[in-house]
Amino acid sequence: MEPTQPSSLPAVPPSRPRFGRGQAHIDSQVRTMLCEMADRLDSNRADQHLSEIGRLALIQATTMDPVLSRALQEAVPEVSGRTSVVRRDFAAQLREIAGAQ
């Protein structure tokens, strides 16, 4: 009897997203989620400031999918300091980014 080798999964090239999602599909979902995030910022405490922790919480509240979360983190501008940007202004930036993609 020949020893059996453990079956291994085929390697997925790094440029190809898992789960059969192409880059165009991911980009479309990111645009949709950017608009959802902007709506959430406009409807909840729009005149208050957004912190970096708030930015991360907003991304996490929008998706828990690792691929989409990474794509959102790349698309959403960084926030520096505790009071660097008003939520309404940040929402406008997100809508501009969604329209540019």
Side-chain angles (χ1 to χ4, degrees), residues 4-53:
T4 58
Q5 294 180 0
S7 63
S8 62
L9 297 173
V12 176
S15 62
R16 186 176 140 213
R18 294 178 15 188
F19 310 117
R21 294 181 289 191
Q23 190 62 44
H25 180 68
I26 291 173
D27 291 344
S28 173
Q29 287 184 305
V30 167
R31 280 191 300 274
T32 300
M33 288 187 290
L34 286 170
C35 292
E36 290 172 4
M37 291 168 67
D39 291 343
R40 187 175 294 130
L41 289 171
D42 278 337
S43 65
N44 295 311
R45 303 182 327 254
D47 294 328
Q48 293 185 3
H49 294 278
L50 181 71
S51 66
E52 178 61 23
I53 293 172

